Every structure is written in C-alpha cells, then in structure tokens.
C-alpha cells in the first residue's frame, strides 16, 4: 500500500499550536482526514500568542509555514471551539462520532499557582496573563493588567526575559528584580534574550550576588566565573537601553508570601533564602534555609512554567501532567505519546498526547514540531492495528452537523482568509508591521459572522 492510501481514517487533532499543526500535516499527508479543532479563532498557539510581540520576522515566517499546512485539503479547521469537560464538545463525544484516534495538542493552559499567602492580591499575575495580553489574545487582550513601577519576576527562564523585556523596554518601569531559587550557574535564559536587557542590568548588584553565592556554587562544583561570564557575554550584541529601569537578579531566593496593604495592593514579596544541595541522582536542589527577607514591590509576576488544563478530561499523574502510558505500545525514541489512566492502569484507548500537552512548558517551537510529528508516528502505528473507517468523510460531516448546533460561530479556513486580509489591510493603512484585533467579536465581524 502506498503512503497515499495507507490511513483512510478520520482523526481529530485538538489544538492548532505548532505541535498540533505539524501532527496534522503528517497525518494528512498520509491520507488521514483530519479535523483540527482549536480553542482560539486563529491557529498558531503560542507561536502566535506567546512569542514576544515584536519578533515580527519570526512570527511571519511561522505563519507562512502554518498557512501551507492549513491549505492541505484533507485538514478541516474548526476554530473558536473548546474541547473538554467544560467545553463545547467532549473527548468522548468525538470518539462516539467515529474518530478512530485523537491527538491532543492543547498545550499547557493551566496556571501553576504555588498556594502562597497573598496570591489573590491586586498586582499578582502569572506570565500567561501578561503574555496573552500583549500578544492580543482574547479575552486577555481586552482586560487590564496594571503593572506598577517596582516589579518582581519569579523565575529565571526565557519567559522571565520576555516579561522583563516588556516591563523594561515597553512599560519603562523603575525597577525590575527577578528572583531565582537557584544560583547564577543555573539560569535557564539564553544569551540572546539577555542582549535586549543587559544594558539595564545592575552590574554592581550582579557582582555582589556572584560573590555572595560563590561558596554555595563551589560546594556544588559549579564555576562562579563561568556563570558570570555567561551572563556578561550578552554585552557583545547588547541593545541600547530605552529606559532607566534598574534590572536586578537576586539568586538563592524562593517566594514565600506576597505581602499586601489593607486595600489589597501588593507591597512586597517575602522570600525564603535558599542554598543548593547535590542530589544523589545528579544535579542540585534548592533547599530553604529557614531565613527570609522581604523585597518591596507593587507587582509580582510568576514566570515559573505552566501546567496542563485539569478540566480537559484526561487523567493526571502525580506531577499533575496528563498521564502517559508507562509501557507504551508505540514508543517513538523511547517516549510515550499514549494517554493513560493511572487508576485503572490502562491506556486511554486511542488518545495520544504531544507538545506542551505531553510535557508542559518544555522547549521551543522546533521541539513542539518534532514532538507533534513523533506523536503522529505513534498514532500511525496504532492505526495499523485497527479497522479502517468505511467513510471517513461521513465522520467529518457528522462532526460539522454537531458543531453547527453550538450557540457560537465555528471558524473555518475561509473565515480565516477574510480575517487575515482585513488585518493586513489595517496594518498597511496604519504603517504597522502587524495588526491584530483584540476581541473575538471584532474578528468575527470581519469574517461577516
Ligand atoms: C511567553 C513565551 C514565549 C515563547 N517564545 C518563543 C520563541 O521566541 N521562540 C520559540 O521557538 N519558542 C518560544 N516559545 C515556546 C513555543 O511557543 C512552544 O514551544 C510551542 O508553542 C508549544 O506548542 P504546542 O503546540 O505544544 O502548544 P501551544 O502553542 O500552547 O498550542 C496549543 C493550542 O491548543 C489550543 N487549545 C488549548 N486548549 C484547547 C481546548 N480545550 N480545546 C481546543 N483547543 C485548545 C490553543 O488555542 C492553541 O492553539 C515561547 C513560549 C512562551 C510561553
Ligand atoms: N525567546 C525564546 O526563545 C523563548 C521565550 C520564552 C520561552 N521560551 C521557551 O519556553 C519554555 C518555557 O520557558 P519558561 O521560562 O517558562 O521555563 P524554564 O526555562 O523552565 O524556566 C522556569 C523558571 O521558573 C523556575 N521555577 C519553576 N518552578 C518554580 C517554583 N515552584 N518556585 C520557584 N521557581 C520556580 C525555574 O527554576 P528551577 O530551574 O529551579 O526549576 C526556572 O528558573 C522554555 O523551553 C523556554 O526556552 C523560549
């Protein structure tokens, strides 16, 4: 059998971020009929709504690649449709409609609250709120997320860098302090992202922090000089500053409580001072010392990764990730893409996971692409063992009939063409690199809905 006729199956792919799009592409090119169902009106996921708003070239290149996928004729797109227990359609309903397998690529939409006192105060955010806001994802684009002049960011990854970039170069706040529970040798951000901000970095403070944390690093076999050089290596290609924001990094500090005033506004962040201990299994762990101090601030933004949507309807494992089969039947590169129920100790039949839905907050667009493709390969292997559908197009038709009954607009590929044309027209007229509508209502209106 040629690849073109090998898989005449109806497959649902849930989530049109990079993982879902590349999984759909591989599935469709092997002749599966793919129903690509997406919460957002537009495809792209975090490539559209996560990547920093001024990376126009990167976003435009990705959109071009995604458009090619969206043009594949046996990929059917349903935007503005939420799948899940509290959504427009549930996983089980999709199975009942006749989908032979379902690829879940919904990313990590849950928030990783730490359960700290004060998390409910005004001025406490998670990165997602801010990132979705400045990237104009409804409804976040329509809400205000007031940010004060003294911002603390928790976490030392690239999401922290994006949020710091927004606060320093866009909002031009007075102070940004980022805190990390580990030391200078274990920052997760890249040199490239530091080039945007290093000219705002308080270098005296960095020196003092390196000196303070040197004994802890040396105890763990880490090289303080190399850690400092890595951070300073961003100076080579540093962007000129556009604000006087003082940017500081505080190491060996873990959030303990957010302090507020009687009006519910943030006034400070109490942190646990930490040290590093070597793990038997390798690497280090940050251990609280039992001593604390409080850093004054008016805004706290957590950039500590996300977790999956617990209401989606798939079983979770002990780490609150969607559970994966520990002994997968179709591993790819020794990775399990198969959903699993730890209570029954059985596979969730026909459900596959890829991208950030499989491993939350892990890696770049390229990683999600590869993961989507590997998930699709695992799914192909699964399909080889089951009876092909007699009329895959009938399943698609039944899905469309069901979606028509929803009390909301389901967005098609044709609708998207109208939307993109309207946004490009406005961008041209206003001389902008890109223009996005901020609400679903405006987008739907442009589509004539
Ligand atoms: C702030 C930030 C900045 C980043 N910057 C970069 C960068 O500069 N370069 C880079 O290479 N990588 C970057 N990344 C990483 C990159 O965006 C991710 O690796 C990638 O987008 C993950 O792809 P995914 O398809 O698994 O999930 P996502 O991109 O999150 O896509 C998930 C899709 O599922 C849909 N969905 C969610 N829930 C449902 C549901 N219940 N029903 C139906 N659909 C649903 C969503 O609408 C979305 O379209 C960044 C990430 C973040 C958070
Ligand atoms: N420009 C870009 O290319 C870009 C931009 C944004 C994101 N991304 C990618 O997207 C992925 C996710 O990025 P990310 O920044 O969210 O994740 P990340 O790189 O894993 O960084 C998360 C940070 O949060 C800290 N953290 C996690 N849990 C914590 C807790 N309970 N208490 C205190 N600190 C905690 C981590 O500390 P520990 O190390 O101690 O766990 C780490 O410093 C990464 O692969 C990243 O490269 C890329």
């Amino acid at each position: 059998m040629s690849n073109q006729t090998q898989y005449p199956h109806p497959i649902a792919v849930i989530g049109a971020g990079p993982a879902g799009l590349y999984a759909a592409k591989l599935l469709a090119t092997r002749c599966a009929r793919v129903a690509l169902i997406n919460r957002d009106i537009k495809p792209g996921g975090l490539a559209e709504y996560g990547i920093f708003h001024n990376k126009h070239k990167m976003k435009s290149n990705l959109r071009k690649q995604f458009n090619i996928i969206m043009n594949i004729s046996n990929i059917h797109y349903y935007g503005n449709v939420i799948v899940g227990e509290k959504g427009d359609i549930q996983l089980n309903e999709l199975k009942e409609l006749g989908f032979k397998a379902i690829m879940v690529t919904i990313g990590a939409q849950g928030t990783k609250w730490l359960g700290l006192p004060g998390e409910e105060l005004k001025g406490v955010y998670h990165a997602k709120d801010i990132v979705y806001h400045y990237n104009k994802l409804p409804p976040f684009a329509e809400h205000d997320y007031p940010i004060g002049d003294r911002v603390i960011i928790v976490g030392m990854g690239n999401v922290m860098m994006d949020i710091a970039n927004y606060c320093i170069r866009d909002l031009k706040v007075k102070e940004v302090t980022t805190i990390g529970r580990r030391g200078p040798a274990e920052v997760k951000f890249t040199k490239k992202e530091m080039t945007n901000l290093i000219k705002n970095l308080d270098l005296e403070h960095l020196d003092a922090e390196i000196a303070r944390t040197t004994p802890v690093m040396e105890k763990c076999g880490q090289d303080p000089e190399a850690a400092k050089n890595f951070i300073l290596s961003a100076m080579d290609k540093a962007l000129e500053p556009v604000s006087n924001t003082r940017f500081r990094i505080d190491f060996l500090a873990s959030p303990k409580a957010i302090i507020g005033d009687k009006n519910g506004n943030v006034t400070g962040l109490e942190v646990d001072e930490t040290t590093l201990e070597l793990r038997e299994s390798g690497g280090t762990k940050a251990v609280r010392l039992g001593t604390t101090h409080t850093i004054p601030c008016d805004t706290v933004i957590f950039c500590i990764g996300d977790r999956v949507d617990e209401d989606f309807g798939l079983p979770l494992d002990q780490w609150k990730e969607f559970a994966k089969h520990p002994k997968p039947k179709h591993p790819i590169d020794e990775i399990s893409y198969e959903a699993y129920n730890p209570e029954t100790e059985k596979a969730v039949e026909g459900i596959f996971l890829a991208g950030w839905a499989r491993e939350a907050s892990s890696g770049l667009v390229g990683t999600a692409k590869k993961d989507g493709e590997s998930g699709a390969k695992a799914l192909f292997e699964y399909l080889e063992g089951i009876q092909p559908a007699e009329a895959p197009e009938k399943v698609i038709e039944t899905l469309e009939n069901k979606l028509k009954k929803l009390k909301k607009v389901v967005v098609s590929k044709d609708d998207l063409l109208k939307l993109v044309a309207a946004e490009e027209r406005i961008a041209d007229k206003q001389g902008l690199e890109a223009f996005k509508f901020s609400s679903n209502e405006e987008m739907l209106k442009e589509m004539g809905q």
Side-chain angles (χ1 to χ4, degrees), residues 178-210:
T178 183
I179 66 157
R181 60 185 170 183
R182 295 168 193 278
E186 291 178 271
V187 297
K188 300 286 189 308
F189 56 78
T190 49
K191 170 181 162 183
K192 180 153 187 307
E193 297 313 316
M194 184 51 119
T195 58
N196 299 322
L197 303 180
I198 192 147
K199 289 265 174 116
N200 285 87
L201 191 65
D202 181 338
L203 296 178
E204 262 179 51
H205 185 74
L206 179 69
D207 277 345
E209 281 294 278
I210 299 274

Side-chain angles (χ1 to χ4, degrees), residues 148-149 165-175 242-245:
D149 256 338
N165 196 349
Y166 178 63
C167 294
I168 295 172
R169 298 189 73 90
D170 288 6
L171 304 181
K172 303 182 175 55
V173 306
K174 281 203 181 107
E175 279 178 26
V242 296
S243 70
N244 292 323
T245 311

Side-chain angles (χ1 to χ4, degrees), residues 67-93:
N67 282 343
I68 294 171
I69 298 174
M70 293 289 284
N71 279 334
I72 298 173
S73 62
N74 46 334
I75 295 180
H76 306 262
Y77 183 73
Y78 309 98
N80 199 28
V81 178
I82 300 170
V83 179
E85 296 283 289
K86 297 180 182 168
D88 302 310
I89 187 164
Q90 300 188 1
L91 273 182
N92 279 345
E93 292 179 275

